[in-house]
């Protein structure tokens, strides 16, 4: 594929301005839904009692307030990125409440509904912090008919708004993120009714077709860089979850095969000038809460050699991710964005330490390929944070502020310029 599109990359989400966070909280409260976080709250779902016209009017006002703050925040954050020459340019996911928001809601024959935690796979890593916080359940996605499809793009309006803020020459330097086909399937004990779908393969095929259609729609309107976020794949590296699955008789090898195929089906016959990368971190709840740990070694060969992705965004900012050893399997015709700067904590890394880590990774890749460090630095590597700064809309990492967020992104840029001088000229 040639070198990665950006030597300094970012994963997508940015800290929201306080006004946008408050507007969303007001909307959720107005809808009768309260989402509390790790301070011991819970999540309640109830229908809004729009008993009179005044309630409906108030609800519409709250929705408009979110839209106003959202658009203002996106305009400001895009301009800040342009001023700082930070690439790729993103919306910060300010138009979403969480990174996978909007896609599954846009599907025909699919719905999100409240699901008690006991209906998820036992010890599913995403639920671990929720159990500690006393949260009894959360929304999950299910097919409601025998044919799941995407009839209207989930993200086209968001891309067109971002595009409108950029000169046409910069469209190629923008990025949008989307969720994977199997996002809900992996989480649930019973992800679909046998009356609707006969097999896992049939459901995932329809979901893959929907993801592919979304990708092609965005491409048709000028987007050239798309990131598929699938932190669930990192759970196949988590020893605790692996042990639980084995005790429950879950065939993890079959599951991984299913999800690799679902990803590949979403990538069939994509245009050659479109960059679609796969991001796999280990979760990034507010206040630095992680969801899983373990080296990529368990899944490295399958991901690097059997998926059709040419670009990977991987987490390497802390011991929970393991070392660079899995990169010995990395092929010469693909690229990896090393997530060596953390968004989980506000402590600033030292540039020289980060350079040493990148060179260490390059040496591992070079040895596996039988090439030199210079070869792999030229052809295979870029750098970024390990994840976004606010995958959830409410808050970010421990001690993280908007000023520190920009310092972190500037550090990523400085690291790239120290290794690949003048790459962005």
């Amino acid at each position: 594929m040639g070198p990665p599109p950006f030597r300094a990359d970012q994963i997508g989400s940015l800290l929201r301005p306080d006004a946008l966070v408050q507007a969303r909280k007001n909307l959720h409260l107005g809808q009768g839904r309260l989402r509390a976080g790790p301070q011991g709250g819970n999540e309640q779902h109830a229908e809004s009692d729009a008993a009179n016209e005044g309630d409906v009017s108030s609800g519409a006002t709250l929705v408009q307030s979110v839209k106003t703050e959202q658009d203002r925040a996106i305009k400001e954050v895009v301009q800040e990125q342009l001023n700082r020459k930070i690439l790729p340019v993103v919306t910060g996911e300010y138009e979403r409440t969480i990174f996978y928001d909007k896609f599954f809601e846009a599907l025909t024959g699919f719905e999100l509904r409240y699901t008690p935690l006991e209906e998820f796979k036992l010890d599913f890593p995403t639920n671990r912090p929720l159990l500690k916080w006393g949260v009894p359940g959360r929304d999950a996605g299910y097919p409601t008919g025998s044919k799941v499809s995407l009839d209207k793009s989930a993200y086209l309006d968001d891309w067109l708004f971002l595009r409108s803020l950029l000169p046409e020459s910069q469209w190629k330097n923008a990025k949008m993120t989307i969720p994977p086909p199997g996002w809900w399937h992996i989480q649930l004990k019973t992800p679909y009714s046998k009356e609707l779908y006969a097999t896992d393969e049939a459901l995932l095929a329809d979901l893959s077709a929907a993801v592919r259609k979304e990708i092609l729609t965005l491409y048709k309107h000028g987007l050239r860089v798309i990131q598929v976020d699938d932190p669930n794949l990192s759970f196949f590296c988590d020893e605790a979850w692996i042990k639980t699955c084995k005790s429950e008789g879950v065939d993890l090898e079959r599951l991984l095969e299913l999800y690799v195929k679902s990803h590949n089906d979403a990538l069939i016959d994509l245009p050659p000038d479109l960059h679609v990368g796969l991001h796999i971190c280990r979760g990034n709840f507010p206040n630095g809460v992680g969801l899983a740990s373990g080296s990529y070694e368990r899944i490295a060969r399958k991901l690097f050699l059997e998926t059709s992705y040419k670009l990977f965004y991987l987490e390497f900012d802390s011991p929970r991710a393991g070392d660079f050893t899995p990169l010995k399997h990395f092929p010469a015709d693909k690229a990896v964005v090393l997530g060596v700067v953390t968004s989980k904590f506000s402590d600033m890394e030292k540039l020289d330490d980060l350079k040493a880590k990148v060179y260490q990774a390059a040496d591992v890749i070079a040895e596996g390929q039988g090439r030199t460090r210079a070869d792999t630095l030229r052809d295979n590597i870029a750098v970024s944070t390990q994840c976004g700064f606010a995958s959830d809309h409410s808050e970010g990492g421990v001690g993280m502020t908007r000023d520190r967020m920009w310092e972190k992104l500037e550090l990523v840029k400085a690291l790239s310029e120290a290794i690949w001088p003048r790459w962005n000229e």
Side-chain angles (χ1 to χ4, degrees):
M1 65 164 277
F6 313 103
R7 294 295 189 179
D9 214 310
Q10 59 172 318
I11 300 304
S13 65
L14 299 171
L15 287 176
R16 275 79 166 171
D18 291 342
L20 177 56
V21 173
Q22 188 59 52
R24 287 201 184 278
K25 286 181 179 178
N26 292 342
L27 175 61
H28 290 176
L29 288 169
Q31 291 174 332
R33 292 184 286 119
L34 174 63
R35 182 189 186 283
Q39 286 75 32
N42 58 18
E43 182 169 279
Q44 300 171 344
H45 292 254
E47 293 297 325
S48 177
D49 293 324
N52 54 57
E53 187 174 336
D55 290 337
V56 175
S57 175
S58 176
T61 300
L62 290 171
V63 170
Q64 184 56 49
S65 175
V66 169
K67 184 69 166 65
T68 298
E69 293 299 338
Q70 168 187 301
D71 290 354
R72 178 186 295 118
I74 291 173
K75 289 177 182 178
E76 291 175 355
V77 84
V78 166
Q79 189 58 54
E80 187 71 20
Q81 291 169 87
L82 293 174
N83 291 345
R84 292 175 179 268
K85 297 183 179 180
I86 288 175
L87 297 177
V89 181
V90 298
T91 64
E93 297 178 359
Y94 289 175
E95 70 279 9
R96 311 182 195 185
T97 59
I98 197 165
F99 69 92
Y100 54 81
D101 194 15
K102 291 190 173 186
F103 180 75
F104 297 100
E105 292 89 333
L107 297 177
T108 299
F110 201 84
E111 70 173 5
L112 297 183
R113 65 174 183 261
Y114 178 75
T115 302
L117 292 188
E118 55 263 28
E119 294 184 21
F120 289 80
K121 283 189 174 71
L122 191 63
D123 191 39
F124 194 74
T126 304
N127 292 341
R128 290 171 183 166
L130 302 182
L131 288 167
K132 291 180 180 178
W133 301 335
V135 177
R138 58 188 176 95
D139 283 349
Y142 302 84
T144 58
S146 58
K147 183 66 176 179
V148 174
S149 63
L150 181 70
D151 299 329
K152 184 179 186 297
S153 171
Y155 299 124
L156 178 57
D157 288 346
D158 299 332
W159 161 236
L160 293 179
F161 184 67
L162 173 58
R163 196 183 77 172
S164 73
L165 304 176
L166 301 172
E168 188 170 351
S169 62
Q170 287 278 9
W171 292 0
K172 68 181 185 300
N173 290 330
K175 179 166 78 171
M176 297 284 289
T177 66
I178 62 175
W183 176 253
W184 293 116
H185 182 278
I186 187 177
Q187 301 188 42
L188 297 163
K189 291 179 180 177
T190 307
Y192 59 93
S193 166
K194 290 290 186 179
E195 296 178 357
L196 301 177
Y197 277 90
T199 64
D200 297 308
E201 289 84 353
L203 172 58
L204 288 169
D206 283 350
L207 290 166
S208 295
V211 171
R212 181 175 181 273
K213 186 174 182 179
E214 182 69 27
I215 290 171
L216 289 173
T217 298
L218 295 172
Y219 174 84
K220 179 181 177 181
H221 290 84
L223 185 63
R224 292 297 179 266
V225 185
I226 296 173
Q227 175 184 301
V228 179
D229 286 320
D230 198 354
N232 287 342
L233 290 178
S234 73
F235 301 160
F236 288 92
C237 307
D238 186 87
E239 290 287 352
W241 192 60
I242 291 170
K243 183 178 180 180
T244 299
C245 286
K246 288 181 177 178
S247 71
E248 293 286 304
V250 176
D251 187 343
L252 287 174
E253 291 301 318
R254 176 179 174 275
L255 273 186
L256 187 56
E257 289 284 352
L258 280 175
Y259 301 136
V260 166
K261 185 178 188 309
S262 72
H263 277 279
N264 286 343
D265 286 349
L267 304 179
I268 293 172
D269 293 332
L270 295 184
D273 62 334
L274 172 62
H275 297 280
V276 182
L278 176 62
H279 172 230
I280 309 173
C281 72
R282 289 156 182 78
N284 193 25
F285 265 45
N287 291 311
V289 175
L291 303 178
S293 61
S295 168
Y296 289 113
E297 183 65 28
R298 287 182 176 274
I299 60 174
R301 291 182 63 86
K302 188 163 290 290
L303 288 181
F304 301 154
L305 303 178
E306 296 184 26
T307 70
S308 300
Y309 289 102
K310 297 292 187 180
L311 180 62
F312 295 85
Y313 305 86
L314 301 180
E315 173 183 355
F316 288 109
D317 68 321
S318 67
R320 76 173 186 175
D323 60 21
F324 294 119
T325 300
L327 295 178
K328 67 188 177 186
H329 306 295
F330 204 79
D333 64 341
K334 299 189 178 187
V336 58
V337 181
L338 301 173
V340 292
V341 174
T342 191
S343 64
K344 297 193 292 287
F345 305 99
S346 60
D347 296 344
M348 289 294 291
E349 297 88 345
K350 295 180 180 179
L351 182 60
D352 287 345
D353 293 342
L354 294 173
K355 284 176 61 178
K357 289 185 72 171
V358 173
Y359 291 149
Q360 182 184 359
D363 289 342
V364 172
I365 295 173
E367 183 177 358
Q369 295 177 357
R371 302 200 301 161
T372 67
R373 175 195 287 184
D375 291 334
T376 58
L377 286 172
R378 181 190 64 232
D379 298 337
N380 303 121
I381 297 176
V383 293
S384 71
T385 56
Q386 98 293 345
C387 192
F389 286 87
S391 302
D392 176 280
H393 76 97
S394 57
E395 54 190 320
V398 176
M400 192 64 68
T401 64
R402 287 173 63 81
D403 286 344
R404 181 49 57 90
M405 174 186 75
W406 292 118
E407 289 179 40
K408 291 268 187 177
L409 291 172
E410 291 282 4
L411 178 60
V412 171
K413 188 173 72 169
L415 175 61
S416 73
E417 291 168 350
I419 299 173
W420 302 279
R422 305 167 66 89
W423 73 267
N424 194 26
E425 294 184 3

